[in-house]
Amino acid sequence: MTSPVTIQSHGDVAVVLVDNPPVNALNAAVRLGLCDQMAQVLADPAYKAVVLACAGRTFIGGADIREFDLPNGGGGPGFVEINGFFENRIKPVVAAIHGVALGGGLEIAMACHFRIATRDATFGQPEVKLGFVPGGGATQRLPRAIGITKAVEMIIGGEPIGVNEALGLGLIDDLFEGEPIAAGIAYARKIISEGRPFSALRDDDSKLAAARDNRALFTDSVAAAVKRTPYKETALACAEALGWCLDMPFDEGIDRAWDCFLTMKDSEQSKALRHVFFAERSINKIAGVARDTKRREIKSVAVVGAGTMGGGIAMSFANAGVSVKLIEVGKEALERGLATIRKNYESTAARGGMSKVDANKRISLIQGDVGLEHVADADLIIEAVFETMQIKKDVFVEIDKYAKPGAILATNTSFLDVNAIAAVTRRPEDVVGMHFFSPANIMKLCEIVRGKVTAPDVLATVSALARHIGKVPVVVGVSFGFVGNRMLLPRISQTGKMLLEGAFPQQIDGVARKFGMMGPLAMGDLAGLDIGWRSRKDSGEVSPIDDALCEAGRFGQKTGAGYYRYEPGSRTPIPDPDVEKLIVDTSRKLNVTRRAFSDEEIHERLIYPMINEGVRILEEGIAERASDIDLVWIHGFAWPIQTGGPMHLAERVGLTRVAERLEHLAALDNDNSLRPVPLLKRLADAGKAFVSFK
Ligand code: T1G
């Protein structure tokens, strides 16, 4: 087998070239190749300097994450050994970086003596997002390269930096234009001809001196970075490993960090985060849509409806620097919508969340217009009007009248039948759902709802555009509530049932919070209880406790009282004895005997019925993959990412156990709707995972 790492000989300069598409990930073959080839060039007296460069679109994207679950990590040499070759004291090594240098990629580059990069290169240690500390020495070399404060920021924050910052910090030595191989050789020749001395970061503690004298430099930056990250547990482990660079000899720090990485990569949390990483990549593969499908050109976007959702969607575009037209049928509604947007940006700026200039720039990207005829020049029109089928249909008839041929007509409906909406137009193949989640300017999920005849290029175009504005586009099928809201329904019904039968809001929310999510009742107060109440009045449905709260004027945060009470100007829910009384009275009125609920039962009731619905969704083909469902919950409902989403969690708990507990709940409630759906039982009985279902 040919190695993905080869040597190119250029006189007295050897180029060690990695060619492992698509991102030159460091799999076992690459790791072995790097060691073999480096051993050879270091031993060969013909070479006076070495260049490390990569073929294809990027430098090294990091360790090959797919190998982490293989026995012995896929085999091959480890990172400490590899980096030792680059960090040698025999010959200077230049890393010529284009594209990204991430994780183990940046770690190898830091083991080299010189680093040069193209203008568009980025550098980062994203390991925290995968649930482990960097294993290839970043915790020891990065602080030596750029100082401890910035290293803490990069390693705990996990976000990459660009070349200007990297140059300023001294992470790279120079920039180059053109091909990495040629540039690397030219740089290496310069070093040779100048007889430039070379040294390794391991031998240079100069940038650690300040923090060794004043520990607060380190601890303060850790406190600030840990506060900002959602990956707290991993962040603390990273902080500990970073501290070793101040307290112990280099090699000891390196060895300890490697051991720490090996342990952490096998944790449940890391498995879950890696699952999410691949889930986010697999949504690019849409059934029936070839990867090279030509996308439609989207030069202008219009959002119809300036209410909360329409405004939030418009802000999502403006936040990504894309101009957008906000259209209303009346002047007053438009002005109200624009004023809300302006207020939102101004208060973010006032809180220090963005600069005033930035806020004004975003505000100026949103132009308002009155009248649906203004959709005429838009390439993409997103309808975000009131959630009633007749209103949506009326609006689509109008949009269809004015929109130009080839324009994409999207609806932001959260429950309704996209096919029925498409059917009122003369171009159902151009109609698609783009379901944003509230608050639309914050939540990353966009359910891309595929109608019966939605054209493949429409799906490809809106998915790419959603990604462009920072959203996570998950293609789903038509079904009441699609994926996210459909799975929410069993949770809502279980919550109502538990309240009526014996639990109080703070207990239910406490269990959810402990799991890592906002409590469903605090969330109800935030969203407003009156919306559901009004629509139940129209449909004749009842939800006894919600209805009783609303009849008492408790609509949630907006009235200062809902499931909880709120101090004026505060969003902190405070348990309220009046609510407990109202709940107990409602139970009594309905002759329901109240009983105690254990936290475990609450947890199971909140989560297992929705997993069951997720499996039904999978079985019906409304979601293409179980991992798509996980993304819907992580990015649409702030499900704790550390658990990998509901479907991943189900697999880690064991499908057999989930099925058993659902049977138990169904028997307890005498409620067949809680029985495990056939696919769940089938997979559980066969000991198979969701991926086996196609
Ligand atoms: N391992 C395996 N596969 C990877 C990969 C990786 N590190 N990175 C990307 N891929 C696959 C990805 O699944 C997709 O496959 C294809 O490459 C293109 O990716 C020792 C232990 C590099 C910025 O966390 O951030 O080093 O779907 O669609 O938008 O301390 O991928 O086509 O089959 O995302 O151009 C640290 C993860 C590892 C970087 C490219 N590194 N990757 O983005 O393409 S841990 C990371 C990315 C580590 C050390 C530790 C991005 C990218 P498929 P893509 P892209």
Side-chain angles (χ1 to χ4, degrees):
M1 226 172 67
T2 55
S3 170
V5 185
T6 49
I7 300 172
Q8 285 187 3
S9 193
H10 295 268
D12 52 2
V13 176
V15 175
V16 172
L17 185 70
V18 181
D19 187 2
N20 184 30
V23 300
N24 292 311
L26 299 161
N27 63 14
V30 173
R31 284 181 277 128
L32 186 65
L34 285 170
C35 287
D36 284 353
Q37 311 296 34
M38 278 303 288
Q40 207 173 309
V41 296
L42 290 179
D44 190 334
Y47 300 125
K48 295 205 174 88
V50 185
V51 172
L52 170 66
C54 292
R57 60 172 151 131
T58 182
F59 190 72
I60 298 167
D64 189 329
I65 306 165
R66 286 167 308 186
E67 285 189 341
F68 286 8
D69 288 327
L70 298 180
N72 199 16
F79 288 89
V80 178
E81 188 184 340
I82 300 169
N83 291 337
F85 283 101
F86 288 91
E87 202 163 45
N88 74 89
R89 294 188 174 102
I90 308 166
K91 295 174 188 179
V93 187
V94 180
I97 300 165
H98 72 296
V100 299
L102 293 177
L106 180 55
E107 289 176 310
I108 290 193
M110 285 191 290
C112 298
H113 309 100
F114 301 95
R115 289 164 291 283
I116 59 172
T118 50
R119 234 165 235 297
D120 60 353
T122 53
F123 314 84
Q125 299 293 160
E127 288 87 340
V128 71
K129 296 183 185 174
L130 297 170
F132 43 74
V133 302
T139 55
Q140 310 305 302
R141 286 192 189 88
L142 194 58
R144 286 174 164 85
I146 64 175
I148 192 88
T149 314
K150 195 66 203 171
V152 163
E153 222 176 89
M154 278 183 76
I155 289 178
I156 295 185
E159 292 302 321
I161 60 169
V163 279
N164 289 340
E165 202 173 352
L167 257 183
L169 291 167
L171 182 58
I172 56 174
D173 301 286
D174 211 344
L175 296 180
F176 68 85
E177 310 256 339
E179 287 300 306
I181 295 178
I185 295 169
Y187 198 83
R189 292 245 156 83
K190 217 158 74 179
I191 292 166
I192 299 168
S193 67
E194 288 170 6
R196 213 190 289 177
F198 62 96
S199 65
L201 282 169
R202 61 175 294 136
D203 298 323
D204 181 4
D205 280 9
S206 56
K207 288 192 176 165
L208 299 180
R212 280 181 175 155
D213 284 350
N214 176 11
R215 190 85 183 181
L217 286 176
F218 171 56
T219 49
D220 289 355
S221 60
V222 166
V226 170
K227 198 166 156 206
R228 278 195 298 268
T229 177
Y231 310 99
K232 302 253 183 274
E233 225 177 282
T234 315
L236 289 172
C238 288
E240 192 185 354
L242 278 154
W244 297 333
C245 79
L246 301 175
D247 299 332
M248 56 183 72
F250 178 84
D251 285 324
E252 199 180 329
I254 288 280
D255 289 343
R256 279 215 199 185
W258 174 244
D259 288 344
C260 191
F261 157 71
L262 289 179
T263 311
M264 289 181 82
K265 83 168 174 51
D266 290 330
S267 66
E268 280 300 318
Q269 178 169 312
S270 174
K271 286 194 169 87
L273 292 171
R274 280 182 271 138
H275 163 77
V276 175
F277 174 82
F278 287 114
E280 286 177 352
R281 265 87 210 147
S282 63
I283 52 172
N284 296 332
K285 293 164 197 147
I286 308 169
V289 181
R291 246 188 157 166
D292 56 356
T293 299
K294 192 169 174 325
R295 296 177 200 147
R296 298 190 191 181
E297 199 174 5
I298 306 292
K299 284 205 201 124
S300 69
V301 179
V303 175
V304 174
T308 312
M309 278 316 281
I313 296 168
M315 287 171 77
S316 295
F317 282 94
N319 291 345
V322 178
S323 67
V324 57
K325 198 190 274 189
L326 193 58
I327 297 174
E328 257 296 350
V329 284
K331 190 160 181 270
E332 235 174 70
L334 177 67
E335 278 173 2
R336 212 172 328 130
L338 290 172
T340 306
I341 291 172
R342 208 172 306 119
K343 211 174 97 205
N344 275 339
Y345 279 128
E346 282 167 359
S347 65
T348 308
R351 270 186 280 115
M354 68 176 70
S355 71
K356 263 192 155 160
V357 175
D358 200 11
N360 285 334
K361 203 169 130 207
R362 293 178 200 207
I363 291 168
S364 73
L365 285 171
I366 303 174
Q367 298 288 320
D369 265 315
V370 175
L372 289 177
E373 66 277 15
H374 291 286
V375 303
D377 58 358
D379 300 304
L380 168 67
I381 300 149
I382 304 174
E383 163 277 314
V385 302
F386 202 71
E387 183 75 359
T388 302
M389 183 53 101
Q390 196 50 52
I391 298 180
K392 300 257 186 214
K393 282 185 174 172
D394 292 348
V395 167
F396 266 80
V397 167
E398 290 295 299
I399 293 177
D400 186 31
K401 204 166 11 171
Y402 296 116
K404 62 183 173 190
I408 296 176
L409 279 45
T411 169
N412 177 52
T413 178
S414 25
F415 283 96
L416 301 174
D417 182 350
V418 172
N419 292 322
I421 295 171
V424 303
T425 71
R426 292 160 298 173
R427 40 180 144 184
E429 65 285 354
D430 293 343
V431 177
V432 67
M434 283 184 88
H435 179 210
F436 292 83
F437 282 69
S438 188
N441 52 319
I442 310 270
M443 299 312 284
K444 286 175 79 181
L445 177 66
C446 183
E447 281 181 336
I448 306 291
V449 188
R450 163 187 223 148
K452 234 178 352 211
V453 294
T454 305
D457 67 338
V458 168
L459 291 169
T461 306
V462 294
S463 292
L465 184 71
R467 206 169 294 113
H468 177 70
I469 62 168
K471 301 294 178 191
V472 176
V474 179
V475 174
V476 300
V478 174
S479 139
F480 187 72
F482 314 117
V483 171
N485 283 339
R486 180 169 156 183
M487 285 169 71
L488 197 57
L489 296 177
R491 196 178 83 167
I492 291 173
S493 103
Q494 285 298 315
T495 305
K497 185 179 160 58
M498 287 190 281
L499 287 174
L500 200 61
E501 293 183 1
F504 287 124
Q506 53 273 26
Q507 191 191 2
I508 297 176
D509 281 357
V511 171
R513 252 197 329 274
K514 198 162 150 224
F515 177 67
M517 287 187 91
M518 187 175 187
L521 300 161
M523 183 130 93
D525 275 359
L526 177 67
L529 305 177
D530 53 322
I531 306 163
W533 179 52
R534 281 183 223 287
S535 81
R536 278 195 302 280
K537 274 188 166 174
D538 290 343
S539 67
E541 281 172 82
V542 284
S543 177
I545 290 168
D546 279 338
D547 294 349
L549 285 169
C550 288
E551 270 146 31
R554 304 183 70 115
F555 293 169
Q557 284 190 16
K558 60 176 122 177
T559 56
Y563 282 105
Y564 300 92
R565 67 180 184 82
Y566 298 85
E567 295 291 347
S570 159
R571 289 177 176 273
T572 308
I574 304 169
D576 187 344
D578 288 352
V579 173
E580 294 184 12
K581 182 171 177 322
L582 180 145
I583 291 175
V584 171
D585 286 349
T586 309
S587 304
R588 191 176 308 123
K589 231 184 275 170
L590 295 171
N591 277 329
V592 178
T593 312
R594 293 179 66 80
R595 67 176 173 94
F597 280 83
S598 68
D599 285 1
E600 192 188 358
E601 181 176 353
I602 292 175
H603 176 83
E604 289 183 347
R605 282 185 183 272
L606 287 179
I607 288 175
Y608 291 0
M610 58 172 282
I611 289 172
N612 207 23
E613 193 61 34
V615 185
R616 199 176 276 126
I617 282 169
L618 194 62
E619 191 164 27
E620 290 172 13
I622 300 303
E624 219 173 285
R625 290 162 285 253
S627 62
D628 289 1
I629 299 175
D630 289 330
L631 294 184
V632 164
W633 275 82
I634 289 167
H635 294 300
F637 297 88
W639 178 281
I641 191 168
Q642 291 84 348
T643 69
M647 309 306 273
H648 178 80
L649 181 76
E651 289 191 326
R652 300 311 298 169
V653 169
L655 299 188
T656 309
R657 163 114 186 128
V658 174
E660 269 169 20
R661 296 312 291 164
L662 283 164
E663 289 286 10
H664 167 79
L665 293 178
L668 203 66
D669 291 3
N670 198 13
D671 179 355
N672 276 334
S673 76
L674 289 174
R675 296 216 177 281
V677 299
L679 175 63
L680 178 56
K681 273 196 78 77
R682 238 178 23 247
L683 293 174
D685 291 346
K688 287 191 168 162
F690 290 127
V691 279
S692 65
F693 172 73
K694 263 283 150 207

